[in-house]
Short mmCIF file of all heavy atoms in Angstrom, two decimals:
data_model
loop_
_atom_site.label_atom_id
_atom_site.label_comp_id
_atom_site.label_asym_id
_atom_site.label_seq_id
_atom_site.Cartn_x
_atom_site.Cartn_y
_atom_site.Cartn_z
N PRO C 196 216.73 153.22 159.93
CA PRO C 196 215.80 154.26 159.47
C PRO C 196 215.60 155.41 160.43
O PRO C 196 214.90 156.38 160.08
CB PRO C 196 214.50 153.47 159.32
CG PRO C 196 214.58 152.41 160.38
CD PRO C 196 216.04 152.03 160.44
N ALA C 197 216.18 155.37 161.63
CA ALA C 197 215.82 156.36 162.65
C ALA C 197 216.67 157.62 162.63
O ALA C 197 216.26 158.63 163.21
CB ALA C 197 215.89 155.73 164.05
N GLY C 198 217.86 157.59 161.99
CA GLY C 198 218.61 158.83 162.03
C GLY C 198 220.02 158.74 161.49
O GLY C 198 220.55 157.66 161.18
N ARG C 199 220.63 159.93 161.36
CA ARG C 199 222.03 160.13 161.00
C ARG C 199 222.53 161.31 161.84
O ARG C 199 221.79 162.27 162.06
CB ARG C 199 222.18 160.48 159.51
CG ARG C 199 221.57 159.47 158.56
CD ARG C 199 222.45 158.24 158.41
NE ARG C 199 221.94 157.34 157.38
CZ ARG C 199 221.10 156.32 157.60
NH1 ARG C 199 220.65 156.11 158.83
NH2 ARG C 199 220.71 155.54 156.62
N HIS C 200 223.78 161.28 162.30
CA HIS C 200 224.25 162.47 163.03
C HIS C 200 225.74 162.78 162.90
O HIS C 200 226.21 163.76 163.49
CB HIS C 200 223.79 162.45 164.48
CG HIS C 200 224.62 161.66 165.45
ND1 HIS C 200 225.60 160.77 165.12
CD2 HIS C 200 224.59 161.67 166.82
CE1 HIS C 200 226.13 160.24 166.21
NE2 HIS C 200 225.53 160.77 167.24
N THR C 201 226.50 162.03 162.12
CA THR C 201 227.89 162.38 161.86
C THR C 201 228.25 161.93 160.45
O THR C 201 227.95 160.80 160.06
CB THR C 201 228.85 161.72 162.87
OG1 THR C 201 228.48 162.09 164.20
CG2 THR C 201 230.28 162.17 162.62
N ILE C 202 228.92 162.81 159.70
CA ILE C 202 229.46 162.46 158.39
C ILE C 202 230.86 163.05 158.31
O ILE C 202 231.11 164.16 158.78
CB ILE C 202 228.56 162.97 157.24
CG1 ILE C 202 229.07 162.45 155.89
CG2 ILE C 202 228.45 164.49 157.25
CD1 ILE C 202 228.09 162.67 154.74
N SER C 203 231.80 162.29 157.74
CA SER C 203 233.20 162.73 157.71
C SER C 203 233.87 162.18 156.47
O SER C 203 233.36 161.28 155.80
CB SER C 203 233.93 162.25 158.97
OG SER C 203 233.94 160.82 159.02
N SER C 204 235.05 162.73 156.17
CA SER C 204 235.78 162.27 155.00
C SER C 204 237.28 162.29 155.30
O SER C 204 237.76 163.04 156.14
CB SER C 204 235.48 163.16 153.79
OG SER C 204 235.93 164.48 154.00
N GLY C 205 238.02 161.44 154.55
CA GLY C 205 239.46 161.36 154.70
C GLY C 205 239.94 159.99 154.21
O GLY C 205 239.18 159.02 154.23
N GLY C 206 241.19 159.94 153.78
CA GLY C 206 241.74 158.67 153.34
C GLY C 206 241.00 158.06 152.17
O GLY C 206 240.99 156.83 152.02
N GLY C 207 240.35 158.89 151.36
CA GLY C 207 239.60 158.38 150.22
C GLY C 207 238.24 157.82 150.55
O GLY C 207 237.59 157.22 149.69
N LEU C 208 237.79 157.99 151.81
CA LEU C 208 236.51 157.45 152.23
C LEU C 208 235.59 158.54 152.75
O LEU C 208 236.05 159.60 153.22
CB LEU C 208 236.70 156.41 153.35
CG LEU C 208 237.50 155.15 153.03
CD1 LEU C 208 237.65 154.32 154.29
CD2 LEU C 208 236.82 154.35 151.93
N THR C 209 234.32 158.27 152.68
CA THR C 209 233.32 159.05 153.41
C THR C 209 232.65 158.12 154.41
O THR C 209 232.24 157.01 154.06
CB THR C 209 232.26 159.64 152.47
OG1 THR C 209 232.87 160.59 151.61
CG2 THR C 209 231.17 160.35 153.27
N LEU C 210 232.59 158.56 155.66
CA LEU C 210 231.96 157.76 156.72
C LEU C 210 230.71 158.47 157.20
O LEU C 210 230.64 159.70 157.22
CB LEU C 210 232.93 157.57 157.89
CG LEU C 210 234.31 156.98 157.58
CD1 LEU C 210 235.10 156.83 158.88
CD2 LEU C 210 234.16 155.63 156.89
N ILE C 211 229.76 157.68 157.62
CA ILE C 211 228.51 158.22 158.15
C ILE C 211 228.00 157.25 159.20
O ILE C 211 228.38 156.06 159.19
CB ILE C 211 227.47 158.43 157.01
CG1 ILE C 211 226.30 159.29 157.50
CG2 ILE C 211 227.01 157.09 156.45
CD1 ILE C 211 225.40 159.77 156.36
N ASP C 212 227.21 157.72 160.12
CA ASP C 212 226.60 156.79 161.07
C ASP C 212 225.09 156.84 160.94
O ASP C 212 224.52 157.75 160.34
CB ASP C 212 227.07 157.05 162.52
CG ASP C 212 226.76 158.45 163.01
OD1 ASP C 212 226.03 159.19 162.32
OD2 ASP C 212 227.26 158.83 164.09
N GLY C 213 224.46 155.82 161.46
CA GLY C 213 223.01 155.74 161.43
C GLY C 213 222.52 154.91 162.59
O GLY C 213 223.30 154.18 163.22
N HIS C 214 221.23 155.04 162.90
CA HIS C 214 220.75 154.27 164.03
C HIS C 214 219.32 153.79 163.83
O HIS C 214 218.58 154.27 162.96
CB HIS C 214 220.87 155.07 165.33
CG HIS C 214 219.78 156.06 165.59
ND1 HIS C 214 219.77 157.31 165.02
CD2 HIS C 214 218.67 156.00 166.35
CE1 HIS C 214 218.71 157.99 165.44
NE2 HIS C 214 218.02 157.20 166.23
N ARG C 215 218.98 152.82 164.64
CA ARG C 215 217.61 152.35 164.76
C ARG C 215 217.29 152.30 166.25
O ARG C 215 218.20 152.37 167.11
CB ARG C 215 217.46 150.96 164.14
CG ARG C 215 218.41 149.91 164.73
CD ARG C 215 218.38 148.62 163.94
NE ARG C 215 219.38 147.67 164.41
CZ ARG C 215 219.17 146.77 165.37
NH1 ARG C 215 217.98 146.71 165.97
NH2 ARG C 215 220.14 145.96 165.74
N PHE C 216 216.02 152.23 166.57
CA PHE C 216 215.62 152.17 167.97
C PHE C 216 215.51 150.71 168.42
O PHE C 216 214.95 149.87 167.70
CB PHE C 216 214.30 152.89 168.19
CG PHE C 216 214.40 154.38 168.09
CD1 PHE C 216 213.76 155.07 167.06
CD2 PHE C 216 215.14 155.11 169.01
CE1 PHE C 216 213.86 156.45 166.96
CE2 PHE C 216 215.24 156.49 168.92
CZ PHE C 216 214.60 157.15 167.88
N VAL C 217 216.06 150.42 169.57
CA VAL C 217 216.03 149.06 170.13
C VAL C 217 215.57 149.13 171.58
O VAL C 217 215.54 150.20 172.20
CB VAL C 217 217.42 148.39 170.06
CG1 VAL C 217 217.90 148.27 168.63
CG2 VAL C 217 218.44 149.16 170.90
N TRP C 218 215.23 147.97 172.09
CA TRP C 218 214.89 147.85 173.52
C TRP C 218 215.96 147.02 174.21
O TRP C 218 216.40 146.00 173.72
CB TRP C 218 213.53 147.18 173.69
CG TRP C 218 212.40 148.14 173.54
CD1 TRP C 218 211.69 148.41 172.41
CD2 TRP C 218 211.86 148.98 174.56
NE1 TRP C 218 210.74 149.37 172.66
CE2 TRP C 218 210.81 149.74 173.98
CE3 TRP C 218 212.15 149.18 175.91
CZ2 TRP C 218 210.07 150.67 174.69
CZ3 TRP C 218 211.40 150.09 176.63
CH2 TRP C 218 210.39 150.82 176.02
N ASN C 219 216.40 147.52 175.37
CA ASN C 219 217.28 146.76 176.25
C ASN C 219 217.09 147.27 177.67
O ASN C 219 216.34 148.22 177.92
CB ASN C 219 218.74 146.85 175.80
CG ASN C 219 219.22 148.29 175.66
OD1 ASN C 219 218.76 149.18 176.38
ND2 ASN C 219 220.15 148.51 174.74
N ALA C 220 217.78 146.65 178.61
CA ALA C 220 217.60 147.03 180.01
C ALA C 220 218.00 148.47 180.26
O ALA C 220 217.39 149.19 181.05
CB ALA C 220 218.41 146.09 180.91
N TYR C 221 219.05 148.90 179.55
CA TYR C 221 219.51 150.28 179.68
C TYR C 221 218.41 151.24 179.26
O TYR C 221 218.11 152.22 179.92
CB TYR C 221 220.74 150.47 178.81
CG TYR C 221 221.18 151.91 178.64
CD1 TYR C 221 221.98 152.53 179.59
CD2 TYR C 221 220.80 152.63 177.51
CE1 TYR C 221 222.39 153.84 179.42
CE2 TYR C 221 221.20 153.93 177.33
CZ TYR C 221 221.99 154.53 178.29
OH TYR C 221 222.39 155.84 178.11
N ASN C 222 217.79 150.92 178.13
CA ASN C 222 216.72 151.78 177.61
C ASN C 222 215.56 151.89 178.59
O ASN C 222 215.02 152.97 178.80
CB ASN C 222 216.24 151.22 176.27
CG ASN C 222 214.94 151.85 175.80
OD1 ASN C 222 213.97 151.15 175.60
ND2 ASN C 222 214.95 153.15 175.64
N VAL C 223 215.16 150.78 179.17
CA VAL C 223 214.03 150.80 180.11
C VAL C 223 214.34 151.71 181.30
O VAL C 223 213.51 152.52 181.72
CB VAL C 223 213.72 149.37 180.58
CG1 VAL C 223 212.67 149.39 181.70
CG2 VAL C 223 213.23 148.51 179.42
N ARG C 224 215.55 151.59 181.83
CA ARG C 224 215.92 152.40 182.99
C ARG C 224 215.97 153.89 182.64
O ARG C 224 215.43 154.73 183.35
CB ARG C 224 217.28 151.94 183.52
CG ARG C 224 217.73 152.69 184.77
CD ARG C 224 219.04 152.15 185.31
NE ARG C 224 220.17 152.47 184.45
CZ ARG C 224 220.80 151.58 183.69
NH1 ARG C 224 220.39 150.32 183.65
NH2 ARG C 224 221.84 151.94 182.94
N ARG C 225 216.61 154.22 181.51
CA ARG C 225 216.73 155.62 181.13
C ARG C 225 215.37 156.24 180.80
O ARG C 225 215.09 157.38 181.15
CB ARG C 225 217.67 155.75 179.93
CG ARG C 225 219.12 155.56 180.26
CD ARG C 225 219.67 156.72 181.09
NE ARG C 225 219.63 157.97 180.35
CZ ARG C 225 220.61 158.40 179.58
NH1 ARG C 225 221.71 157.69 179.43
NH2 ARG C 225 220.50 159.56 178.95
N THR C 226 214.52 155.47 180.12
CA THR C 226 213.20 155.99 179.78
C THR C 226 212.38 156.27 181.03
O THR C 226 211.70 157.29 181.13
CB THR C 226 212.46 154.99 178.87
OG1 THR C 226 213.20 154.81 177.66
CG2 THR C 226 211.07 155.50 178.52
N ALA C 227 212.45 155.37 182.01
CA ALA C 227 211.72 155.57 183.25
C ALA C 227 212.21 156.82 183.97
O ALA C 227 211.41 157.63 184.48
CB ALA C 227 211.87 154.35 184.15
N ASP C 228 213.53 157.02 183.99
CA ASP C 228 214.08 158.22 184.64
C ASP C 228 213.63 159.48 183.93
O ASP C 228 213.26 160.48 184.56
CB ASP C 228 215.61 158.15 184.67
CG ASP C 228 216.14 157.07 185.60
OD1 ASP C 228 215.36 156.59 186.44
OD2 ASP C 228 217.32 156.70 185.47
N GLN C 229 213.67 159.45 182.59
CA GLN C 229 213.29 160.63 181.82
C GLN C 229 211.82 160.97 182.02
O GLN C 229 211.45 162.13 182.17
CB GLN C 229 213.59 160.42 180.34
CG GLN C 229 213.30 161.65 179.48
CD GLN C 229 213.74 161.46 178.06
OE1 GLN C 229 214.35 160.46 177.72
NE2 GLN C 229 213.43 162.43 177.22
N LEU C 230 210.97 159.96 182.00
CA LEU C 230 209.55 160.22 182.19
C LEU C 230 209.27 160.77 183.58
O LEU C 230 208.42 161.64 183.76
CB LEU C 230 208.75 158.93 181.96
CG LEU C 230 208.52 158.55 180.50
CD1 LEU C 230 207.85 157.19 180.41
CD2 LEU C 230 207.65 159.60 179.82
N ALA C 231 210.00 160.28 184.57
CA ALA C 231 209.83 160.80 185.93
C ALA C 231 210.17 162.29 185.98
O ALA C 231 209.47 163.08 186.61
CB ALA C 231 210.69 160.02 186.91
N ARG C 232 211.25 162.68 185.28
CA ARG C 232 211.61 164.10 185.24
C ARG C 232 210.56 164.91 184.49
O ARG C 232 210.16 165.99 184.92
CB ARG C 232 212.98 164.28 184.58
CG ARG C 232 214.14 163.75 185.40
CD ARG C 232 215.47 164.26 184.84
NE ARG C 232 215.67 163.82 183.48
CZ ARG C 232 216.26 162.68 183.15
NH1 ARG C 232 216.68 161.86 184.09
NH2 ARG C 232 216.43 162.35 181.87
N ASN C 233 210.10 164.38 183.37
CA ASN C 233 209.12 165.11 182.57
C ASN C 233 207.81 165.28 183.30
O ASN C 233 207.17 166.33 183.25
CB ASN C 233 208.88 164.39 181.23
CG ASN C 233 210.08 164.50 180.30
OD1 ASN C 233 210.81 165.47 180.35
ND2 ASN C 233 210.27 163.51 179.45
N LEU C 234 207.38 164.24 184.00
CA LEU C 234 206.13 164.34 184.74
C LEU C 234 206.23 165.35 185.86
O LEU C 234 205.24 165.94 186.27
CB LEU C 234 205.75 162.96 185.30
CG LEU C 234 205.29 161.93 184.26
CD1 LEU C 234 205.16 160.56 184.90
CD2 LEU C 234 203.96 162.36 183.65
N GLY C 235 207.44 165.59 186.34
CA GLY C 235 207.63 166.59 187.38
C GLY C 235 207.57 168.01 186.88
O GLY C 235 207.58 168.95 187.66
N PHE C 236 207.51 168.20 185.54
CA PHE C 236 207.48 169.55 184.98
C PHE C 236 206.15 170.26 185.24
O PHE C 236 206.05 171.46 185.14
CB PHE C 236 207.68 169.50 183.46
CG PHE C 236 209.11 169.35 183.04
CD1 PHE C 236 209.42 168.67 181.89
CD2 PHE C 236 210.13 169.89 183.81
CE1 PHE C 236 210.75 168.53 181.48
CE2 PHE C 236 211.45 169.76 183.42
CZ PHE C 236 211.75 169.08 182.25
N GLY C 237 205.09 169.51 185.54
CA GLY C 237 203.77 170.14 185.66
C GLY C 237 203.09 170.23 184.32
O GLY C 237 203.47 169.57 183.36
#
């Protein structure tokens, strides 16, 4: 339910992608880094 960002066609098919939000170790690390940058904006 969270999004779509590529749609394509060929070979008689239409392809599309979609995503949902999940939690994992990668997400925790990236979110912490992003918040640190944002908090530095003033």
Side-chain angles (χ1 to χ4, degrees):
R199 305 283 187 268
H200 83 347
T201 303
I202 186 168
S203 62
S204 64
L208 297 176
T209 294
L210 305 182
I211 194 168
D212 58 10
H214 81 278
R215 57 189 174 89
F216 289 114
V217 299
W218 277 94
N219 54 31
Y221 169 84
N222 167 239
V223 173
R224 182 176 70 253
R225 286 290 296 270
T226 300
D228 291 344
Q229 184 174 355
L230 281 174
R232 291 193 299 271
N233 289 331
L234 289 171
F236 280 149

